[in-house]
């Protein structure tokens, strides 16, 4: 691997947090006490934390400075107006409704835009998104291109919506029975796969013919813009800001978790152009979040988000961010570790089916692999497979996704390439004795979003 292809960190470190590595015996005790669920491990017992990139970012000096000018007024905070103006400029939407985080925006959108029995097609599900859609009577339909379900297939823009699937759904169910199209940029559970501008444009043209709205899950939109600049013809000379603005020009609105590409630790928002939907969202946000001028966030958090959103558009930042993830992925690929390809923008996904061929999906191989990786190297990762997929709301049967993965999610501006080497070494070492990984069974299974708090035991 040629390290010259990977840029140095475009920042200097001003503050440090001391971490420690527990002994293997201590980690074995910790994982048992956590019920083999990495979500239930205490942070102080983790050496390298790749559980999520959500809210785990390191903020810049300018963001910390912005925290000191937080206007904590209950209504009409000046920081909201700064955030609102920033989002309107960068995304191009008319209306912005702040929320405490992304799922708050998902809750609002699902309540105001879905009628019971309507279909919500999307390019692969995300856990909280589908939960809110189904909780409000929606029926999720996966319309991502078939190639996205093939972990080893290395082609660009595996996150694209299949237009034939969408057209077929419209013809079979009727446009009036489709609430909206949910288009994620990038597609998390497909391995962080991006969507091409060509596909966004085509989805817009198709839905406009039928009067169907399109809402983006914009959580990692800046990462998606980088892939467009890097891989799609005609965008190499465009700025990240220009690409992001064009992306959203093909949507009617979006939900946003500010805890990712806004480079903050909490917060989110819902955007739209439709005046009627905006009025409905403003009424509901008071019930679930807070006033329409803070939506569950402190003024200082909104200020940091506005600053972070602009920082995320800087090419040097996003290039380093994506290539640091790619560095880890390439180290694993060179060692023969089965991962989802191509490497996405926020995480490397281990293919648990190929990593643990001796386990069936009913053995929860990804859950067990994540637990064993923690024991091996003090690295905390997350299951993204049958456990995360949950159960069918009508039949109670497990959803069985084709992708059974462990997500190694890289926080923004937190770790160095040396940390990536330590992660790679732990995965490679575990792979050499992968047959020791045992299957799991539920000890406690929550009814909703079970992957967060479920507990397991080894079979």
């Amino acid at each position: 691997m040629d390290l010259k292809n990977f840029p140095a960190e475009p920042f200097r470190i001003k503050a440090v947090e001391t971490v420690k590595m527990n002994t293997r015996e201590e980690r074995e005790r910790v994982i048992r006490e956590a019920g083999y669920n990495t979500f239930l491990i205490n942070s102080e017992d983790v050496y390298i934390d790749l559980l999520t990139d959500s809210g785990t970012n390191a903020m810049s000096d300018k963001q910390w400075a912005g925290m000191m000018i937080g206007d904590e007024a209950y209504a009409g905070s000046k920081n909201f107006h700064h955030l609102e103006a920033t989002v309107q400029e960068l995304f191009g939407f008319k209306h912005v409704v702040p929320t405490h985080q992304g799922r708050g925006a998902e809750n609002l959108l699902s309540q105001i835009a879905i009628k019971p029995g309507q279909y919500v097609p999307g390019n692969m599900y995300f856990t909280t998104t589908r939960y809110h859609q189904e909780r409000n009577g929606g029926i999720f339909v996966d319309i991502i291109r078939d190639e996205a379900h093939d972990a080893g297939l290395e082609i660009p823009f595996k996150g694209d919506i299949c237009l034939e699937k969408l057209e077929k759904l419209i013809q079979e169910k009727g446009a009036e029975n489709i609430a909206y199209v949910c288009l994620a940029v990038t597609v998390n559970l497909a391995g962080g796969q991006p969507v091409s501008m060509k596909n966004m444009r085509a989805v817009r043209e198709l839905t406009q013919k039928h009067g169907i709205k399109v809402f983006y899950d914009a959580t990692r939109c800046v990462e998606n813009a980088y892939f467009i600049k890097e891989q799609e013809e005609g965008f190499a000379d465009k700025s990240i800001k220009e690409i992001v603005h064009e992306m959203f020009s093909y949507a009617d609105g979006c939900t946003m978790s500010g805890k990712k590409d806004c480079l903050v630790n909490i917060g989110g928002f819902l955007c739209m152009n439709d005046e009627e939907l905006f009025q409905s969202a403003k009424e509901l946000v008071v019930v679930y979040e807070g006033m329409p001028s803070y939506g569950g966030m402190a003024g200082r958090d909104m200020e940091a988000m506005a600053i972070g959103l602009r920082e995320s558009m800087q090419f040097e930042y996003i290039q380093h961010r994506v290539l640091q993830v790619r560095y880890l992925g390439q180290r694993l690929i060179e060692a023969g570790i089965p991962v989802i390809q191509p490497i996405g923008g926020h995480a490397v996904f281990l293919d648990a089916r190929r990593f643990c061929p001796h386990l069936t999906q009913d053995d929860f191989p990804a859950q067990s692999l994540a637990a064993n990786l923690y024991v091996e190297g003090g690295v905390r990762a997350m299951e993204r497979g049958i456990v995360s997929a949950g159960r069918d709301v009508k039949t109670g049967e497990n959803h069985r996704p084709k992708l059974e993965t462990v997500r190694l999610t890289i926080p923004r501006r937190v770790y160095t390439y040396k940390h990536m080497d330590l992660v790679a070494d732990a995965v490679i070492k575990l792979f050499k004795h992968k047959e020791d990984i045992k299957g799991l069974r539920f000890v406690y299974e929550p009814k909703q979003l079970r992957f967060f708090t479920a507990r397991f035991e080894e079979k």
Side-chain angles (χ1 to χ4, degrees):
M1 183 187 300
D2 186 359
L3 289 177
K4 294 181 180 178
N5 293 328
F6 296 92
E9 287 77 6
F11 51 81
R12 292 181 295 196
I13 299 170
K14 282 191 175 183
V16 296
E17 176 186 359
T18 302
V19 294
K20 65 182 179 68
M21 172 75 89
N22 290 342
T23 65
R24 186 181 187 91
E25 289 73 22
E26 288 172 330
R27 298 195 299 274
E28 289 173 346
R29 173 186 56 78
V30 166
I31 199 65
R32 284 195 304 271
E33 292 177 353
Y36 296 88
N37 187 345
T38 52
F39 277 96
L40 302 181
I41 300 174
N42 291 328
S43 174
E44 63 183 3
D45 291 320
V46 177
Y47 183 58
I48 299 179
D49 201 344
L50 307 186
L51 184 72
T52 182
D53 63 329
S54 180
T56 56
N57 310 296
M59 294 203 302
S60 71
D61 52 351
K62 291 180 175 60
Q63 286 178 290
W64 280 110
M67 295 279 279
M68 299 308 295
I69 57 171
D71 176 6
E72 307 308 339
Y74 189 79
S77 168
K78 66 181 181 183
N79 306 121
F80 166 69
H81 293 301
H82 182 198
L83 175 61
E84 179 185 47
T86 301
V87 175
Q88 288 172 335
E89 176 192 339
L90 298 178
F91 287 10
F93 296 117
K94 295 179 182 177
H95 305 299
V96 182
V97 180
T99 59
H100 76 285
Q101 62 181 61
R103 71 194 60 171
E106 292 170 350
N107 176 42
L108 295 180
L109 179 61
S110 297
Q111 290 202 45
I112 64 179
I114 299 174
K115 297 176 182 177
Q118 283 188 317
Y119 294 86
V120 188
N123 51 343
M124 199 173 286
Y125 80 98
F126 184 68
T127 51
T128 59
T129 311
R130 187 175 69 184
Y131 173 80
H132 285 298
Q133 291 168 352
E134 292 179 345
R135 186 172 183 270
N136 287 280
I139 302 168
F140 171 77
V141 180
D142 188 359
I143 56 169
I144 201 169
R145 61 190 297 185
D146 290 337
E147 294 88 344
H149 297 283
D150 186 340
L153 184 61
E154 188 166 7
I155 59 172
F157 301 111
K158 285 170 73 173
D160 281 358
I161 279 178
C162 175
L163 297 174
E164 289 77 15
K165 291 181 183 179
L166 178 55
E167 183 80 67
K168 181 180 178 181
L169 183 69
I170 295 171
Q171 292 176 354
E172 290 181 352
K173 305 301 181 182
E176 70 279 6
N177 292 315
I178 296 177
Y180 57 88
V181 173
C182 181
L183 195 159
V185 285
T186 58
V187 184
N188 189 346
L189 296 188
Q193 303 302 323
V195 180
S196 67
M197 192 75 81
K198 178 182 178 181
N199 188 248
M200 294 182 219
R201 192 180 301 120
V203 169
R204 182 52 152 184
E205 291 173 357
L206 176 57
T207 53
Q208 271 190 328
K209 293 179 183 177
H210 298 279
I212 299 171
K213 285 184 168 57
V214 179
F215 280 88
Y216 288 3
D217 177 345
T219 297
R220 298 179 180 88
C221 60
V222 181
E223 292 171 11
N224 200 104
Y226 177 84
F227 284 112
I228 290 175
K229 181 177 177 66
E230 180 187 57
Q231 301 176 18
E232 191 165 357
E233 186 178 356
F235 290 93
D237 295 328
K238 290 187 177 294
S239 68
I240 296 297
K241 180 180 177 181
E242 289 172 326
I243 295 171
V244 167
H245 199 275
E246 182 176 345
M247 285 168 55
F248 287 109
S249 72
Y250 304 123
D252 294 284
C254 73
T255 58
M256 182 70 170
S257 171
K259 298 164 67 177
K260 285 85 168 177
D261 274 352
C262 292
L263 302 177
V264 289
N265 307 121
I266 198 66
F269 51 81
L270 171 65
C271 294
M272 71 275 289
N273 290 322
D274 186 277
E275 197 71 36
E276 186 176 344
L277 283 178
F278 176 54
Q279 293 303 323
S280 297
K282 282 205 302 182
E283 293 174 10
L284 269 186
V285 76
V286 177
V287 177
Y288 289 101
E289 305 280 338
M291 282 289 288
S293 58
Y294 75 90
M297 282 188 285
R300 54 184 175 270
D301 294 321
M302 291 188 284
E303 187 67 24
M305 184 182 292
I307 296 169
L309 191 53
R310 288 195 183 279
E311 290 182 351
S312 73
M313 303 283 171
Q314 297 169 0
F315 178 75
E316 293 76 17
Y317 153 73
I318 191 60
Q319 180 190 44
H320 171 267
R321 191 305 187 267
V322 173
L323 295 188
Q324 185 184 48
V325 176
R326 192 173 296 171
Y327 173 86
L328 173 59
Q330 288 192 8
R331 273 222 55 196
L332 295 178
I333 290 170
E334 289 179 4
I337 306 299
V339 300
I340 290 184
Q341 297 187 58
I343 303 302
H346 72 294
V348 177
F349 287 69
L350 305 179
D351 184 353
R353 289 183 186 272
R354 289 184 288 162
F355 201 111
C356 304
H358 59 291
L359 299 179
T360 69
Q361 196 167 31
D362 290 318
D363 292 320
F364 307 142
Q367 187 73 38
S368 187
L369 175 53
N372 278 270
L373 178 58
Y374 169 73
V375 173
E376 188 68 51
V379 177
R380 175 159 65 170
M382 178 196 296
E383 182 270 359
R384 279 304 186 214
I386 189 172
V387 177
S388 291
R391 296 183 182 273
D392 187 284
V393 292
K394 292 183 178 179
T395 68
E397 294 296 318
N398 282 315
H399 290 295
R400 293 182 176 275
K402 292 181 181 179
L403 295 177
E404 182 76 19
T405 67
V406 171
R407 192 181 76 181
L408 306 173
T409 333
I410 316 303
R412 295 162 183 80
R413 305 190 293 202
V414 171
Y415 292 117
T416 66
Y417 287 109
K418 184 59 178 177
H419 287 110
M420 298 301 100
D421 285 334
L422 292 173
V423 173
D425 291 343
V427 174
I428 293 167
K429 185 176 180 182
L430 180 60
F431 189 64
K432 291 178 180 178
H433 61 93
K434 57 184 180 295
E435 63 281 352
D436 294 337
I437 298 174
K438 300 177 182 178
L440 300 175
R441 63 170 67 90
F442 277 113
V443 174
Y444 165 64
E445 181 183 358
K447 293 181 180 180
Q448 286 89 28
L449 299 173
R450 62 188 184 181
F451 62 93
F452 282 124
T453 56
R455 301 183 73 87
F456 305 86
E457 65 182 7
E458 289 187 334
K459 288 185 176 180

